[in-house]
Every structure is written in structure tokens, then in C-alpha cells.
């Protein structure tokens, strides 16, 4: 990096090296499910329940071995600290029925993570199952359906604790259920009361070690087949989380398109010690597009940095695109998250908020715009180099080569 770049930032009171060091420790949870279109290893066929992948790009990972190989290539292109986010439908050892899957079914992930010094997060999988009955799981009117998924939730607590204890890195278990209704409900309360009761039973079902893991709940405004009503709305989970001392997870693709998710962070962190994210990119009515370095993402990163969220939040990625090279998709989104955080760390927030408090809104606007043309790209290149990861054009060449040498031969 040129000395001029360091000097430019120091004029604004920003220490470029301190920013890079800070970013190095921010763990980004990399989702395993981008690499095989959320299929998992249970071979149940097409996805159901509000989750859909579109596209037919060559080279999808078909098993754990292929997925690990792809993940290694992706991780090699993503600088800084990382975790792997695992879904329960990715059982690696002696797979069993979903509700019975427990510690023994996920040993492969622990071996993988330990070899690479990575943390792990976990998600029970409440979709892609014959026990998703009429788009309902934990809120189903059928007791046997609820009981099935409650058991899955309890076992998932055990798996998450096992991940945390084995890796020595705090883990997050995140609950998202696809439960909802296609058309206007006759009764909005009963499904929510049942969801509340089922979640209570999961949390009471295993006394997990709170010092090594957290549990989060993730809302969604609507989904395919549940256009009119989701049982787990934002209000439902925000209240549930605060009342039960667990975390609320904000998926940035799960709100109304004009709703500013970044704006929620300052409020949430005033009332919660911690917060969790699925960073995603909504496009019109659909979430889960690969992250672009756009204003929405920058807004989230800015708020995380300003509100001290980097030390308090779990940051996970959540997108799945089957229409482009899946490894590249994973890398592009992850690097964009990190670029946004770096830009946020290179921003003189104290100066900006001082100007705001001085009621000098002209200065705020001028400074916000002035910062946009600073040479942050050079700092990003230096950050990649510092982490032994290739810069912009070069990483893509590696992924292209991998596509030509490995992915294309998979014949799918
Ligand atoms: C779905 C939710 C959920 C999933 C993953 C695979 O809309 O965002 O988080 O994307 O669990
Ligand atoms: Zn999500």
C-alpha cells in the first residue's frame, strides 16, 4: 500500500493498520449450503417450504467430499477469520432420520473445522422433509408433527454445543421455520401460540452451556406458498427472543423491500447484548441473492461498526445461487461483506456524529460524500495480501481453473 494512502486516512483520524487488524478478527460464518443449492446429504430431492434455488450451473457438489473440496477453494479466497455454517441436512456420518440426528452424525464437520482452525455454527433444518406437513412444522396443528420437530430442535442444541466445545469457538444455533399460510388466515394467533410453546419445549429440552453457545430465532415477512402470513414474523421473534434471553436474527432479505434493515441495529443493540445476522440480498420479492457491495450492505456494515456490533454480533451469510459458479458466488458475497466492513472501519464516525450533534448537517452530508472517493480499494488489496489471499482479479482466475479442472468433470 502506498504511504500516501495511509496519510490520506490519517488526515481523517483513521489508522489504516488498526482497521485492517480489527477486520482480521471479525468472524464471518460461511454457509455450506451455497455449494449444493441447499440440497444436503440426505438425497430427499427437491427443496420445499419457502426455499428455492434456481439455476443449473455445472459442477454442483454431490457429497461431503466434493463439498469440502469446493469449500477449501472458497476459503482460500476469503481473507480473515471464518466459521462454517452447517445445516442439519448435511449429516456426514451414518445418516439417520432428521429428528434423531445428533452429535454422532456431524463428526465430519468437526474434523474438517479442527484441521483448518475454524469455528462452526449450526441450523436445525425445518424444511426438505416429509414431516413438513402443509407448510407447518413447530406450529402445526398436528401434535405428532410438532413433537417430531421439537425433538429435532433439542438434538440440534446438543450438536451446537458439541461444535462449540470441540472447536473452542462460540457457536450459534439459528432456528428458521418455513411455517405460514398461502392465504389470509382465519386465525393468526393459534399457530403463533403453538410455535411459542414448541420453542419453549426445545429450550427446556436440553440445558445447554450458555457460555459456549447462543440460540437465535429468524423471522421472515413472507415466502413462496406463505404469501399471506408467516407464523414467525419479526414481531413474534423479537418479543420471543427478548423474553427468553436468546438472540434475534435479522436476515437482511426477510423484510419488506423498502424497509431499512440497517436502521434496526441501533435499536436492537440498545436492548440486547448481542444480535445475529443472515446477510443476504433481496431482489424484488425474493431474498437470497449473492451479496453485492451495494448501499444496503454498506448501511448494515456501517451500523455494525458504529454501534460496536463487531464485538457483539454473529455475522453469517445466507444466499444460494445455482445459476453461476457456486464457489465464486460464495467468495464474491463473503468478500463483499468484508469490503463493506473495511469501508465502515475506514470511516471517521466520531467526526461525523460530532457534526450531527453540532447540528451541522451540511458538514455531515459533505463529509459522507467526500469519503466515497477515498482510496479504500488499495487498503483492501493490502488486507488481502496481509492475509495471504489473492486480490481481485487473481482469485477469480484460481476459481476458473478449478472449474475447468474439477467442477466440469462432475458431469452435472
Ligand atoms: C430462508 C431463511 C433460512 C435459510 C437457510 C438455508 O428464507 O433465510 O435462513 O436461507 O436456513
Ligand atoms: Zn436466512
Amino acid at each position: 500500500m502506498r504511504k500516501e494512502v495511509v496519510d490520506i486516512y490519517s488526515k481523517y483520524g483513521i489508522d489504516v493498520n488498526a482497521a485492517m487488524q480489527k477486520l482480521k478478527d471479525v468472524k464471518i460464518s460461511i454457509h455450506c449450503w451455497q455449494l449444493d443449492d441447499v440440497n444436503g446429504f440426505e438425497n430427499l430431492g427437491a427443496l420445499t417450504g419457502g426455499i428455492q434455488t434456481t439455476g443449473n450451473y455445472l459442477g454442483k457438489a454431490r457429497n461431503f467430499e466434493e463439498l469440502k473440496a469446493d469449500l477449501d477453494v472458497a476459503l482460500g479466497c476469503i481473507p480473515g477469520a471464518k466459521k462454517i455454517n452447517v445445516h442439519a441436512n448435511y449429516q456426514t456420518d451414518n445418516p439417520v432420520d432428521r429428528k434423531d440426528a445428533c452429535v454422532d452424525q456431524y463428526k465430519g464437520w468437526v474434523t474438517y473445522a479442527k484441521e483448518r482452525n475454524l469455528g462452526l455454527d449450526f441450523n436445525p433444518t425445518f424444511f426438505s422433509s416429509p414431516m413438513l406437513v402443509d407448510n407447518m412444522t413447530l406450529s402445526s396443528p398436528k401434535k405428532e408433527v410438532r413433537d417430531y420437530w421439537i425433538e429435532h430442535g433439542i438434538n440440534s442444541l446438543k450438536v451446537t454445543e458439541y461444535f462449540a466445545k470441540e472447536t473452542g469457538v462460540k457457536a450459534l444455533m439459528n432456528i428458521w421455520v418455513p411455517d405460514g399460510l398461502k392465504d389470509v388466515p382465519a386465525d393468526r394467533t393459534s399457530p403463533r401460540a403453538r410455535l411459542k410453546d414448541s420453542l419453549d419445549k426445545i429450550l427446556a429440552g436440553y440445558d445447554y452451556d450458555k457460555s459456549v453457545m447462543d440460540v437465535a430465532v429468524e423471522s421472515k415477512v413472507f415466502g413462496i406458498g406463505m404469501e399471506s402470513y408467516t407464523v414467525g414474523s419479526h414481531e413474534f421473534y423479537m418479543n420471543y427472543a427478548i423474553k427468553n434471553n436468546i438472540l434475534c436474527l435479522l436476515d437482511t432479505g426477510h423484510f419488506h423491500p423498502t424497509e431499512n434493515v440497517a436502521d434496526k441495529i441501533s435499536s436492537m443493540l440498545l436492548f440486547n447484548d448481542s444480535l445475529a445476522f443472515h446477510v443476504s440480498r433481496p431482489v424484488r420479492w425474493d431474498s437470497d441473492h449473492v451479496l453485492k457491495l451495494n448501499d444496503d450492505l454498506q448501511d448494515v456494515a456501517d451500523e455494525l461498526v458504529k454501534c460496536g456490533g463487531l464485538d457483539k454480533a454473529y455475522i453469517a451469510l445466507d444466499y444460494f445461487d445455482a445459476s453461476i459458479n457456486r464457489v465464486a458466488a460464495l467468495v464474491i458475497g463473503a468478500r463483499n461483506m468484508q469490503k463493506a466492513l473495511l469501508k465502515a472501519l475506514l470511516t471517521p464516525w466520531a467526526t461525523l456524529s460530532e457534526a450531527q450533534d453540532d447540528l451541522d448537517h451540511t458538514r455531515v452530508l459533505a463529509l459522507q460524500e467526500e469519503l466515497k472517493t477515498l482510496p479504500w480499494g488499495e487498503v483492501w488489496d493490502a488486507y488481502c495480501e496481509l492475509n495471504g489471499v489473492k486480490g481481485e482479479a487473481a482469485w477469480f482466475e484460481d476459481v476458473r481453473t478449478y472449474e475447468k479442472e474439477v467442477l466440469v468433470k462432475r458431469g452435472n
Side-chain angles (χ1 to χ4, degrees):
M1 185 176 23
R2 286 178 302 139
K3 189 179 170 300
E4 286 89 322
V5 175
V6 179
D7 292 344
I8 289 170
Y9 279 102
S10 74
K11 271 201 266 162
Y12 290 91
I14 299 289
D15 177 343
V16 168
N17 289 306
M20 291 197 289
Q21 286 307 326
K22 179 84 188 169
L23 184 60
K24 215 165 180 275
D25 293 332
V26 179
K27 294 186 193 69
I28 306 292
S29 196
I30 310 287
H31 53 313
C32 72
W33 55 89
Q34 160 58 47
L35 295 169
D36 74 336
D37 315 339
V38 208
N39 255 35
F41 306 142
E42 295 173 352
N43 296 320
L44 282 174
L47 289 172
T48 52
I51 286 209
Q52 225 167 38
T53 17
T54 48
N56 197 23
Y57 201 82
L58 62 88
K60 167 161 82 176
R62 292 165 300 183
N63 51 50
F64 192 36
E65 291 312 310
E66 290 182 352
L67 195 125
K68 280 191 286 187
D70 294 358
L71 203 44
D72 277 340
V73 175
L75 293 177
C77 300
I78 304 168
K82 293 168 282 276
K83 297 167 101 179
I84 303 299
N85 210 357
V86 177
H87 238 290
N89 58 333
Y90 292 75
Q91 299 181 48
T92 56
D93 299 68
N94 312 312
V96 294
D97 183 81
R98 185 91 51 80
K99 86 168 154 33
D100 301 316
C102 203
V103 168
D104 286 345
Q105 274 62 52
Y106 300 96
K107 295 209 152 110
W109 284 112
V110 167
T111 309
Y112 180 84
K114 278 183 169 171
E115 280 167 5
R116 288 154 187 81
N117 207 13
L118 300 162
L120 289 170
D121 292 313
F122 192 67
N123 308 260
T125 307
F126 295 94
F127 50 84
S128 296
S129 160
M131 286 305 281
L132 172 71
V133 180
D134 206 19
N135 244 359
M136 296 277 181
T137 61
L138 292 176
S139 73
S140 171
K142 295 179 192 290
K143 184 173 182 300
E144 68 275 17
V145 172
R146 295 199 303 278
D147 287 348
Y148 178 94
W149 292 111
I150 288 167
E151 196 161 339
H152 177 49
I154 293 169
N155 279 330
S156 296
L157 289 171
K158 296 177 188 167
V159 176
T160 313
E161 186 187 66
Y162 160 69
F163 278 2
K165 291 202 163 150
E166 287 291 323
T167 59
V169 181
K170 207 164 182 191
L172 179 70
M173 173 177 124
N174 174 52
I175 297 176
W176 174 75
V177 297
D179 299 32
L181 291 169
K182 189 175 180 67
D183 229 320
V184 180
D187 170 9
R188 292 174 188 268
T189 305
S190 300
R192 289 189 171 134
R194 290 192 292 262
L195 177 58
K196 179 170 174 280
D197 183 64
S198 296
L199 291 169
D200 289 348
K201 290 195 165 107
I202 291 173
L203 295 178
Y206 179 62
D207 186 18
Y208 61 92
D209 183 345
K210 315 245 175 337
S211 70
V212 302
M213 64 175 276
D214 281 305
V215 175
V217 278
E218 174 186 7
S219 66
K220 186 165 185 168
V221 68
F222 89 106
I224 301 160
M226 42 177 196
E227 292 85 359
S228 302
Y229 167 79
T230 52
V231 185
S233 62
H234 181 54
E235 292 70 21
F236 176 90
Y237 281 133
M238 194 165 65
N239 284 296
Y240 190 88
I242 207 135
K243 186 154 188 191
N244 293 282
N245 209 16
I246 61 168
L247 308 191
C248 194
L249 184 143
L250 303 177
D251 184 311
T252 56
H254 284 190
F255 294 84
H256 188 278
T258 64
E259 202 169 344
N260 181 0
V261 184
D263 182 60
K264 300 175 192 300
I265 298 171
S266 48
S267 304
M268 300 290 294
L269 283 177
L270 279 181
F271 298 98
N272 298 271
D273 296 334
S274 185
L275 187 58
F277 284 89
H278 270 183
V279 191
S280 186
R281 176 168 57 100
V283 174
R284 297 185 188 274
W285 52 271
D286 201 5
S287 65
D288 303 314
H289 287 69
V290 180
L291 298 184
K292 281 170 94 68
L293 186 56
N294 60 16
D295 287 351
D296 291 346
L297 179 61
Q298 194 57 57
D299 220 0
V300 168
D302 286 354
E303 288 302 319
L304 277 171
V305 168
K306 276 189 271 186
C307 303
L310 291 189
D311 304 316
K312 296 178 186 162
Y314 286 91
I315 305 174
L317 310 177
D318 187 15
Y319 46 81
F320 24 98
D321 190 337
S323 72
I324 56 174
N325 180 308
R326 295 172 182 80
V327 179
L330 196 51
V331 174
I332 291 166
R335 288 172 70 111
N336 278 340
M337 180 76 242
Q338 294 175 323
K339 284 180 207 164
L341 289 171
L342 180 65
K343 286 180 80 180
L345 286 164
L346 293 172
T347 303
W349 296 115
T351 312
L352 279 160
S353 74
E354 233 173 76
Q356 178 179 310
D357 286 348
D358 287 346
L359 309 181
D360 191 355
H361 305 302
T362 318
R363 180 66 191 130
V364 172
L365 183 61
L367 187 50
Q368 281 169 338
E369 295 310 297
E370 180 181 323
L371 294 166
K372 287 183 179 169
T373 52
L374 296 194
W376 69 270
E378 263 191 69
V379 186
W380 169 251
D381 290 340
Y383 179 70
C384 288
E385 203 179 319
L386 179 76
N387 286 278
V389 163
K390 293 191 178 165
E392 279 315 296
W395 76 261
F396 185 72
E397 282 314 306
D398 282 1
V399 173
R400 257 284 121 91
T401 307
Y402 183 68
E403 175 176 310
K404 285 188 190 132
E405 288 175 359
V406 178
L407 298 182
V408 83
K409 295 193 183 127
R410 290 187 187 161
N412 59 351

